[in-house]
Structures are given as C-alpha cells and as structure tokens.
C-alpha cells in the first residue's frame, strides 16, 4: 500500500513541475472547512483529505499577544508572520488520518508520515474575521437591511437598534412571532393586523384600541400573545377588549452570534523534510475557514452586551 501512495504523491508533484521549481496550483483539499484544536501553548487549524491520498495541511501557531486575538469577536484581519513558531505543515500518510491526529497531545503511532513539508520563514498568514449571521444579525426573520441597519433605527427607543432587537416595538411579542401572525392586511409583506399602515412588529398597539399591546398581558407573563378564552384571538389583537394591566418588565434580548475565520497564506514556501530540499511554492493559498460555534449574547436595553452561554 505504501508504494501506491508514494506513486500517487510523485505524480502529484510531477504535474506541478514548472521551470525547475515545484510550483503547485492547489492541494487536493476541495472541502475548505477547517478544524481547530488548541493546547496550552499552541493552536492548530487543519484540514484532512482521505479521498485518494491521505493528506493533511495544518497551521500550527503559538499564543502570544499578537495571535491571542484568534477567535476574536470583532470583524477584522489578523496577520501572523510565518516563523519557526508559526508553521504551515503538509503531510502525506500511509493510512487514514483523523482529527485526533492533531488534537491529541501525543500524535498517534499510526498512520505514519510518508512525506512532510514545512514552512521555514517568510510569508504570512492572514486570518479574516467576519460575522456569520450578518444579513439578519438578531435572527428575528427580518433582514438587517430592512431593519434600518445603516441608520441604526431604534423603533422602541430602548437603546437597542432594530437590527439587534428581537422585539423591535418593545411590546413583549417577539418580532419573529409578529411577522408570522395571520392578518388580512400587510405592509411590505409583513402583517398589519389593524391596517394602520404600520406592520405589527413595529406597532406597539397592534389592534389600535389605544391600549398598548404590552399592557394587554392579562396573565402578566411578559407575553401578551396568550389567548385568555382560547377563541383564537389574544387581547392584543382584539380591539373590543381594552383591559389594561401594568407591565413594567420586558423580554430579555438574547441573540445568537458566530464568526467565520478565513485563513489565507501569502508567499507560501513549503520545504520537504529529510529530502533534497524540494519546495512547493504558492503566492496565495486559501487554507480554508473555521466557523466558531454560535454563542448566546444578551444585549441590555442600555445598548451594552454581555457574553454568556
Ligand atoms: Ca429597540
Ligand atoms: Ca429586530
Ligand atoms: Ca406589535
Ligand atoms: Ca391594543
């Protein structure tokens, strides 16, 4: 089996020959989704391919003031110069390689490394951080562009702009619920129960009976949508019922947030280890991207945010 893999790898390199230098146009990592592991002193972003050859490419880098910003929660770009401490490593194996290969403190005995290339110095890695849910930041079903993101529109004036507010009109019925209400009339394809020209999710008095929706909360559970007599119509949508209850609390504003970390390399030079100094060179190489797990963020009405689980 080892010979088969060697032949495949040699063919891969020969195809890539150009003017004496080994310049490849790409590796065989069609899937650009990276995995990530960390230990006490280094982090590894890596990609595995077991389709035809068994190969792995990894960026192993150390934690310091500069790189500690990996997994940052702000959009932007981090540059990490390649060095002996920050290396791209490309390996071909004699058998299937699994995630545990990079995530274990001690690499497993098997599979064995057949070929290894490493960067030395020169070149740099760019990590570009972007928000994953940047078209609907609060996930309420209304696009951020429709929520006035550029002007930071704040319909209920609670300090949380609409594009981050899961209850845009502050009536304690979540926007996601208000855009699903069945109504005869609509504004920009959003339900307008009282046909007053303001969509329900932006209307603090949805039945236009002069009792604010938030005060039509008969059981005081911060959700006026509860249907008291189960006739299919909650008080807040029934203009014939104007009972008003004192409600001073609001729904917690919790949104889900995740980031994508796109990893690209500029001036990549990989040198073969234990060989005759063969090199693989690429001006630009997209290693791939890592998506952080989504986290729950609570945004307080003052506009400040707290990170939590
Ligand atoms: Ca608001
Ligand atoms: Ca919103
Ligand atoms: Ca409303
Ligand atoms: Ca009302």
């Amino acid at each position: 089996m080892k010979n088969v893999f060697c032949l495949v790898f040699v063919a891969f390199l020969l195809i890539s020959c150009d003017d004496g230098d080994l310049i490849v146009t790409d590796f065989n990592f069609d899937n650009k989704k990276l995995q990530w592991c960390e230990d006490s002193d280094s982090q590894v972003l890596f990609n595995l391919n077991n389709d035809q050859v068994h190969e792995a490419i990894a960026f192993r880098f150390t934690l310091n003031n500069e790189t500690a910003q990996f997994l940052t929660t702000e959009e932007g770009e981090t540059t990490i110069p390649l060095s002996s401490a920050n290396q791209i490593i490309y390996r071909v194996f004699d058998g299937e390689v699994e995630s545990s290969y990079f995530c274990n403190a001690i690499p497993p005995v098997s599979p064995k490394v057949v070929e290894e290339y490493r960067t030395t110095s020169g070149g740099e890695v760019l990590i570009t951080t972007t928000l994953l849910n940047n078209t609907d930041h609060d996930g309420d079903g209304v696009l951020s562009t429709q929520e006035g993101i550029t002007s930071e529109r704040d319909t209920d004036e609670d300090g949380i702009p609409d594009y981050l507010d899961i209850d845009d009109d502050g009536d304690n019925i979540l926007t996601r619920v208000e855009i699903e209400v069945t109504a005869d009339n609509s504004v920009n394809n959003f339900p307008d129960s009282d046909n007053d020209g303001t969509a329900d999710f932006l209307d603090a008095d949805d039945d236009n009976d002069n009792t604010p929706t938030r005060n039509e909360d008969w059981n005081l559970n911060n959700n006026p949508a509860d249907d008291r007599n189960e006739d299919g119509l909650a008080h807040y949508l029934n203009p014939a019922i104007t009972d008003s209850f004192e409600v001073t609390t609001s729904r917690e504003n919790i949104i889900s947030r995740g980031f994508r970390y796109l990893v690209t390399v500029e001036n990549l030079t990989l040198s073969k280890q234990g060989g005759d100094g063969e090199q693989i060179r690429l001006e630009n190489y997209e290693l791939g991207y890592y998506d952080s797990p989504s986290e729950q963020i609570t945004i307080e009405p003052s506009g400040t945010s707290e990170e939590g689980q």
Side-chain angles (χ1 to χ4, degrees):
M1 286 300 279
K2 184 177 177 184
N3 286 342
V4 172
F5 291 124
C6 286
L7 280 173
V8 170
F9 189 60
V10 167
F12 168 60
L13 290 180
L14 284 175
I15 291 165
S16 312
C17 282
D18 183 8
D19 296 336
D21 286 325
L22 292 166
I23 301 178
V24 295
T25 53
D26 207 348
F27 298 99
N28 294 328
F29 300 96
D30 294 332
N31 184 347
K32 291 291 187 178
K33 188 164 187 166
L34 301 177
Q35 300 179 66
W36 171 60
C37 283
E38 67 174 342
D39 56 35
S40 56
D41 57 9
S42 68
Q43 308 202 21
V44 189
L45 286 159
F46 61 95
N47 199 356
L48 310 176
N49 173 36
N50 286 295
D51 279 350
Q52 293 178 354
V53 291
H54 301 289
E55 60 181 352
I57 192 161
F59 176 44
R60 184 183 292 278
F61 55 107
T62 54
L63 284 170
N64 56 36
N65 288 339
E66 189 173 26
T67 55
Q69 291 183 39
F70 175 61
L71 291 185
T72 176
T73 53
E74 280 185 23
E75 293 190 295
E77 195 171 89
T78 303
T79 303
I80 304 173
L82 289 166
S83 65
S84 57
N86 306 320
Q87 287 190 319
I88 306 276
I89 304 155
Y90 172 71
R91 286 177 181 155
V92 179
F93 300 89
D94 67 353
E96 181 145 350
V97 57
E98 298 176 353
S99 304
S100 56
Y101 182 86
F102 285 105
C103 295
N104 285 348
I106 301 170
V109 178
S110 171
K112 284 195 170 62
V113 177
V114 178
E115 300 275 353
E116 178 174 286
Y117 286 75
R118 282 176 181 266
T119 51
T120 49
S121 59
E124 60 190 19
V125 169
L126 305 178
I127 299 180
T128 307
T129 306
T130 50
L131 252 183
L132 275 178
N133 45 338
N134 58 6
T135 55
D136 180 9
H137 291 74
D138 55 10
D140 66 1
V142 184
L143 294 176
S144 296
T145 49
Q146 293 177 288
E147 297 213 74
I149 182 172
T150 49
S151 62
E152 300 233 324
R153 188 184 76 203
D154 180 10
T155 299
D156 58 8
E157 298 181 334
D158 64 350
I160 305 172
D162 287 4
Y163 77 98
L164 296 174
D165 196 335
I166 62 172
D167 178 12
D168 293 295
D169 53 9
D171 63 2
N172 277 344
I173 300 184
L174 301 183
T175 291
R176 179 165 284 287
V177 173
E178 295 210 79
I179 64 173
E180 297 293 335
V181 165
T182 302
D184 292 336
N185 302 291
S186 65
V187 176
N188 297 328
N189 293 320
F190 295 114
D192 177 15
S193 293
D194 56 12
N195 197 25
D196 66 350
T198 301
D200 285 6
F201 77 99
L202 298 174
D203 191 343
D205 177 8
D206 293 287
D207 55 7
N208 219 15
D209 63 359
N210 289 322
T211 302
T213 290
R214 61 179 290 121
N215 291 346
E216 300 208 49
D217 186 9
W218 56 272
N219 59 356
L220 301 172
N221 71 344
N222 264 6
N223 182 11
D226 289 337
D227 185 3
R228 190 171 200 171
N229 58 3
E230 297 183 346
D231 65 351
L233 199 58
H235 287 193
Y236 89 97
L237 290 174
N238 186 350
I241 300 177
T242 57
D243 296 346
S244 184
F245 303 86
E246 188 178 345
V247 175
T248 55
T249 51
S250 294
R251 303 282 284 261
E252 259 197 311
N253 199 78
I254 301 172
I255 66 172
S256 184
R257 193 178 65 173
F259 288 91
R260 171 161 293 183
Y261 303 89
L262 177 68
V263 184
T264 54
V265 192
E266 292 191 351
N267 297 320
L268 172 66
T269 302
L270 287 160
S271 299
K272 188 174 180 179
Q273 304 299 295
D276 52 11
E278 289 170 14
Q279 289 189 328
I280 299 171
R281 295 193 298 157
L282 287 167
E283 273 187 34
N284 289 286
Y285 180 65
E286 184 182 308
L287 196 69
Y289 62 88
Y290 173 74
D291 288 345
S292 68
S294 291
E295 59 177 350
Q296 303 295 106
I297 306 291
T298 303
I299 304 178
E300 304 294 341
S302 60
T304 58
S305 66
E306 268 179 28
E307 297 184 13
Q309 295 301 310

